[in-house]
Amino acid sequence: MPTPAAIRPVPYAPAVEVPEEDEAVTIFDLKDTMRGISVKTYEDSGHAIRSVHAKTHGLLVGELSVLEGLAPAYAQGLFAQPGSYPVALRLSTTPGDILSDDVSTPRGMSLKVVGVPGARVEGSEDASTQDFVLVNGPAFNVPTAKKFLGSAKLLASTTDKVPNLKRAFSAVLRGVESAVEAVGGESVTLKALGGHPETNPLGETYYSQAPILFGDYMAKVSVAPVAPSLSALKDAPVDLKDKPDGLRDAVVDYFATQGGEWELRIQLCTDLEKMPIEDASVEWPEDLSPYVAVARLRVAPQQAWSEARAKAIDEGMQFNPWHALAAHRPLGSIMRVRKEVYAMSKRFRAERNGIEIAEPRDLNHL
């Protein structure tokens, strides 16, 4: 496997981004579909929640420290110079409705790095944040925005439909996924539909799945646990029987007495054929370009969830890959459609809940 100094990344050029046919129509339909999920859950509860990743399992604050001595190709954008920044961190699962945790779906980790200097992407000029929105799988479950629209419509059709049936269906899918994994396989589709193993989210490695600009180059991002106490939780089971918020309980219990440390890692694009920008379903080969640590994320022991923190982070913030430096502009079909969909979701939550959702200048209030 090549060392960081030996990596020869492909320079970014506008030609690597090729919009899908009728992408504007896809964006419109996707906004409408996601809004439909939000409307349905709002009608049920009287409170507006996210269209996806609605359920929170942990809300944390920590510090991201950029490493010293990075190879030039990795010393880009936020990571160009050593330094430390406050971070808000949110752990979640993927559905757009609030389900019992034994409907087991992929886990998400979102980071909001605060006080980041530099030129901004369009629409984020007044902020000083850099967000990373991550899921515990290295590739997206569909290649492009048009395919994602089909998945979103399926998600919308099942929102708020027979929760007990979902729980039973999830148990069946977990059994099938376990059988697949027993012979060395893995099904992204089974996991997405509810067949994710009932494991602790703190032991997972999280991925951007879709690429971002990385200064002069292009990259994917991951966050991996390195503290032994977190690494020990990889594939660790969590008892969710009769515990609808069992994942949150596990996160809260851990951080009540222990801290955590992760590496933020970058995988640079070195081959546009094997590491495509427009197909987010392709896992980039690590034998061509491994994930390389560029920063450390440290979280001290703390109360990992509270009503006050939920109001400040869950309600008052949005985690969005388009909250970004120009040096880390999101790339590719999946990322492009997210821009307007996330903007719609933010407006919907703010208007229905009568709150302001704004980018923080510091995290001192947390």
Side-chain angles (χ1 to χ4, degrees):
M1 190 171 291
T3 64
I7 292 293
R8 297 292 178 265
V10 177
Y12 171 78
V16 304
E17 293 188 87
V18 182
E20 280 190 287
E21 183 179 359
D22 298 325
E23 192 166 279
V25 175
T26 300
I27 291 171
F28 179 87
D29 289 346
L30 192 56
K31 283 196 299 182
D32 188 59
T33 300
M34 291 299 188
R35 189 178 186 280
I37 295 174
S38 295
V39 167
K40 179 58 180 172
T41 55
Y42 177 72
E43 288 175 345
D44 288 345
S45 68
H47 188 77
I49 57 177
R50 291 167 171 84
S51 303
V52 292
H53 286 272
K55 189 169 186 179
T56 301
H57 305 297
L59 296 168
L60 302 160
V61 292
E63 182 177 70
L64 185 77
S65 297
V66 177
L67 300 181
E68 297 183 2
L70 296 176
Y74 294 90
Q76 304 280 327
L78 169 62
F79 311 99
Q81 300 290 336
S84 295
Y85 304 91
V87 174
L89 186 156
R90 179 178 185 261
L91 296 165
S92 62
T93 40
T94 55
D97 42 358
I98 305 296
L99 301 171
S100 173
D101 287 348
D102 58 3
V103 181
S104 191
T105 59
R107 288 83 164 91
M109 173 189 280
S110 295
L111 306 179
K112 185 177 293 293
V113 187
V114 179
V116 178
R120 311 284 306 172
V121 297
E122 183 181 359
S124 182
E125 294 89 348
D126 295 333
S128 62
T129 53
Q130 173 66 53
D131 289 4
F132 298 103
V133 178
L134 315 167
V135 179
N136 66 324
F140 204 63
N141 61 345
V142 293
T144 63
K146 193 169 290 187
K147 292 289 186 181
F148 180 49
L149 175 60
S151 299
K153 288 182 176 179
L154 175 61
L155 179 67
S157 70
T158 63
T159 298
D160 196 43
K161 296 290 178 64
V162 198
N164 286 336
L165 181 59
K166 287 184 181 180
R167 295 170 68 184
F169 186 50
S170 179
V172 172
L173 292 177
R174 287 196 302 276
V176 176
E177 175 61 20
S178 178
V180 171
E181 293 185 8
V183 294
E186 183 179 14
S187 172
V188 173
T189 301
L190 287 176
K191 287 185 173 183
L193 290 174
H196 194 287
E198 293 181 326
T199 52
N200 196 309
L202 294 176
E204 300 283 357
T205 295
Y206 293 87
Y207 301 85
S208 65
Q209 300 187 326
I212 63 171
L213 196 64
F214 196 73
D216 296 329
Y217 309 111
M218 299 158 285
K220 291 187 179 182
V221 182
S222 80
V223 171
V226 292
S229 55
L230 289 177
S231 299
L233 296 175
K234 179 176 170 56
D235 300 325
V238 177
D239 179 12
L240 300 178
K241 182 176 174 59
D242 300 322
K243 297 179 180 178
D245 299 320
L247 294 180
R248 180 187 297 168
D249 294 342
V251 173
V252 169
D253 288 348
Y254 174 90
F255 280 103
T257 59
Q258 301 180 80
E261 187 169 349
W262 295 260
E263 283 183 345
L264 190 150
R265 299 169 177 171
I266 294 298
Q267 184 186 32
L268 291 171
C269 177
T270 59
D271 183 323
L272 285 170
E273 288 191 8
K274 296 179 180 178
M275 307 168 82
I277 300 303
E278 291 293 347
D279 185 345
S281 68
V282 174
E283 181 178 351
W284 289 4
E286 292 193 51
D287 59 346
L288 294 181
S289 179
Y291 280 95
V292 173
V294 296
R296 286 268 176 149
L297 173 63
R298 296 179 178 91
V299 173
Q302 59 191 269
Q303 188 175 2
W305 193 91
S306 68
E307 292 289 350
R309 189 165 279 187
K311 183 176 180 180
I313 299 178
D314 251 353
E315 300 297 323
M317 297 183 192
Q318 182 193 50
F319 294 86
N320 180 345
W322 285 92
H323 296 155
L325 294 172
H328 300 314
R329 176 173 60 82
L331 300 175
S333 172
I334 295 296
M335 287 293 208
R336 284 194 298 274
V337 300
R338 281 176 168 171
K339 187 173 186 179
E340 291 196 36
V341 172
Y342 276 56
M344 176 278 299
S345 178
K346 177 182 175 180
R347 287 194 302 271
F348 186 91
R349 289 199 295 132
E351 291 170 0
R352 296 304 188 283
N353 295 338
I355 59 171
E356 180 183 10
I357 300 175
E359 291 304 281
R361 294 291 172 180
D362 61 61
L363 299 177
N364 297 335
H365 58 298
L366 300 175

Short mmCIF file of all heavy atoms in Angstrom, two decimals, residues 11 29 40 60 73 79 83 101 122 141 150 156 165 177 192 202-203 246 255 260 269 341 359:
data_model
loop_
_atom_site.label_atom_id
_atom_site.label_comp_id
_atom_site.label_asym_id
_atom_site.label_seq_id
_atom_site.Cartn_x
_atom_site.Cartn_y
_atom_site.Cartn_z
N PRO A 11 -5.27 16.09 -9.97
CA PRO A 11 -5.72 17.46 -9.73
C PRO A 11 -7.18 17.64 -10.13
O PRO A 11 -7.65 17.04 -11.12
CB PRO A 11 -4.80 18.31 -10.61
CG PRO A 11 -3.62 17.43 -10.90
CD PRO A 11 -4.15 16.04 -10.92
N ASP A 29 -37.94 17.11 -7.74
CA ASP A 29 -38.70 15.95 -7.26
C ASP A 29 -38.19 15.46 -5.90
O ASP A 29 -38.97 15.03 -5.06
CB ASP A 29 -38.63 14.82 -8.29
CG ASP A 29 -39.43 15.12 -9.55
OD1 ASP A 29 -40.24 16.06 -9.51
OD2 ASP A 29 -39.24 14.41 -10.55
N LYS A 40 -45.46 14.72 6.78
CA LYS A 40 -46.12 13.60 7.43
C LYS A 40 -45.75 13.51 8.90
O LYS A 40 -46.62 13.38 9.79
CB LYS A 40 -45.76 12.29 6.72
CG LYS A 40 -46.39 11.05 7.35
CD LYS A 40 -47.91 11.15 7.38
CE LYS A 40 -48.53 9.92 8.02
NZ LYS A 40 -50.00 10.09 8.22
N LEU A 60 -22.53 15.78 21.29
CA LEU A 60 -21.27 15.94 21.99
C LEU A 60 -20.55 17.19 21.52
O LEU A 60 -20.80 17.69 20.42
CB LEU A 60 -20.37 14.72 21.71
CG LEU A 60 -20.94 13.36 22.09
CD1 LEU A 60 -20.24 12.25 21.35
CD2 LEU A 60 -20.82 13.14 23.60
N ALA A 73 0.21 17.08 -0.24
CA ALA A 73 -1.09 16.77 -0.86
C ALA A 73 -2.21 16.70 0.18
O ALA A 73 -3.39 16.87 -0.17
CB ALA A 73 -1.01 15.44 -1.61
N PHE A 79 -6.94 21.77 6.59
CA PHE A 79 -5.81 21.01 7.11
C PHE A 79 -4.46 21.55 6.62
O PHE A 79 -3.43 20.89 6.78
CB PHE A 79 -5.97 19.54 6.71
CG PHE A 79 -7.35 19.01 7.04
CD1 PHE A 79 -8.33 18.93 6.05
CD2 PHE A 79 -7.68 18.66 8.33
CE1 PHE A 79 -9.59 18.49 6.34
CE2 PHE A 79 -8.95 18.21 8.64
CZ PHE A 79 -9.92 18.12 7.65
N GLY A 83 -3.58 23.32 13.88
CA GLY A 83 -4.44 24.17 14.68
C GLY A 83 -5.56 23.36 15.29
O GLY A 83 -5.76 22.19 14.92
N ASP A 101 -35.36 1.82 18.49
CA ASP A 101 -34.02 1.49 18.01
C ASP A 101 -33.89 0.06 17.52
O ASP A 101 -32.90 -0.28 16.84
CB ASP A 101 -32.98 1.75 19.11
CG ASP A 101 -32.74 3.24 19.33
OD1 ASP A 101 -33.20 4.04 18.48
OD2 ASP A 101 -32.11 3.59 20.34
N GLU A 122 -20.47 29.11 -2.18
CA GLU A 122 -21.63 29.99 -2.38
C GLU A 122 -22.78 29.57 -1.47
O GLU A 122 -23.11 28.40 -1.35
CB GLU A 122 -22.08 29.93 -3.84
CG GLU A 122 -23.23 30.87 -4.16
CD GLU A 122 -23.67 30.78 -5.61
OE1 GLU A 122 -23.07 29.99 -6.36
OE2 GLU A 122 -24.62 31.49 -5.98
N ASN A 141 -25.51 3.94 -1.13
CA ASN A 141 -26.24 2.75 -1.58
C ASN A 141 -26.75 2.84 -3.00
O ASN A 141 -27.21 1.85 -3.56
CB ASN A 141 -27.39 2.42 -0.61
CG ASN A 141 -28.41 3.53 -0.52
OD1 ASN A 141 -28.16 4.66 -0.94
ND2 ASN A 141 -29.57 3.23 0.05
N GLY A 150 -35.38 7.49 -6.40
CA GLY A 150 -36.19 6.28 -6.27
C GLY A 150 -36.16 5.73 -4.86
O GLY A 150 -37.19 5.33 -4.31
N ALA A 156 -40.21 7.51 1.66
CA ALA A 156 -41.38 8.34 1.93
C ALA A 156 -42.64 7.48 2.05
O ALA A 156 -43.51 7.75 2.89
CB ALA A 156 -41.55 9.37 0.82
N LEU A 165 -44.82 -3.55 12.57
CA LEU A 165 -44.45 -4.35 11.41
C LEU A 165 -43.01 -4.06 11.00
O LEU A 165 -42.25 -4.96 10.63
CB LEU A 165 -45.40 -4.08 10.25
CG LEU A 165 -45.15 -4.87 8.96
CD1 LEU A 165 -45.23 -6.37 9.23
CD2 LEU A 165 -46.16 -4.47 7.89
N GLU A 177 -29.06 -10.61 6.98
CA GLU A 177 -27.76 -9.93 6.88
C GLU A 177 -26.69 -10.71 7.65
O GLU A 177 -25.55 -10.83 7.20
CB GLU A 177 -27.86 -8.50 7.41
CG GLU A 177 -26.54 -7.74 7.48
CD GLU A 177 -25.86 -7.56 6.15
OE1 GLU A 177 -26.52 -7.66 5.09
OE2 GLU A 177 -24.63 -7.32 6.15
N ALA A 192 -29.78 -0.93 4.95
CA ALA A 192 -30.55 0.31 4.81
C ALA A 192 -32.02 0.09 5.13
O ALA A 192 -32.69 1.00 5.65
CB ALA A 192 -30.39 0.87 3.40
N LEU A 202 -20.71 3.72 18.66
CA LEU A 202 -19.42 4.32 19.01
C LEU A 202 -18.24 3.49 18.50
O LEU A 202 -17.11 3.98 18.45
CB LEU A 202 -19.31 4.49 20.52
CG LEU A 202 -20.28 5.50 21.14
CD1 LEU A 202 -20.15 5.51 22.65
CD2 LEU A 202 -20.05 6.89 20.57
N GLY A 203 -18.47 2.24 18.10
CA GLY A 203 -17.39 1.43 17.57
C GLY A 203 -17.25 1.50 16.07
O GLY A 203 -16.35 0.86 15.49
N GLY A 246 -32.38 2.66 23.22
CA GLY A 246 -31.23 1.93 23.74
C GLY A 246 -29.89 2.41 23.20
O GLY A 246 -28.88 2.36 23.92
N PHE A 255 -20.11 7.98 27.74
CA PHE A 255 -19.48 9.28 27.95
C PHE A 255 -19.67 9.83 29.36
O PHE A 255 -19.03 10.81 29.73
CB PHE A 255 -19.97 10.29 26.90
CG PHE A 255 -19.26 10.13 25.58
CD1 PHE A 255 -19.88 9.50 24.53
CD2 PHE A 255 -17.97 10.58 25.42
CE1 PHE A 255 -19.23 9.33 23.31
CE2 PHE A 255 -17.30 10.42 24.22
CZ PHE A 255 -17.93 9.79 23.16
N GLY A 260 -13.37 10.03 24.38
CA GLY A 260 -13.14 9.30 23.14
C GLY A 260 -12.19 10.04 22.23
O GLY A 260 -12.03 11.27 22.33
N CYS A 269 -8.20 11.03 -4.37
CA CYS A 269 -8.49 10.38 -5.65
C CYS A 269 -7.21 10.33 -6.49
O CYS A 269 -6.59 11.37 -6.75
CB CYS A 269 -9.57 11.16 -6.39
SG CYS A 269 -9.94 10.51 -8.03
N VAL A 341 -31.94 20.43 -1.25
CA VAL A 341 -32.77 19.62 -0.35
C VAL A 341 -32.53 20.01 1.10
O VAL A 341 -33.47 20.17 1.89
CB VAL A 341 -32.49 18.12 -0.57
CG1 VAL A 341 -33.19 17.28 0.50
CG2 VAL A 341 -32.96 17.69 -1.96
N GLU A 359 -25.66 29.17 11.94
CA GLU A 359 -24.32 28.63 12.12
C GLU A 359 -23.65 29.28 13.33
O GLU A 359 -23.58 30.51 13.40
CB GLU A 359 -23.49 28.85 10.86
CG GLU A 359 -23.94 28.00 9.68
CD GLU A 359 -23.95 26.53 10.04
OE1 GLU A 359 -22.87 25.91 10.06
OE2 GLU A 359 -25.03 26.00 10.34
#
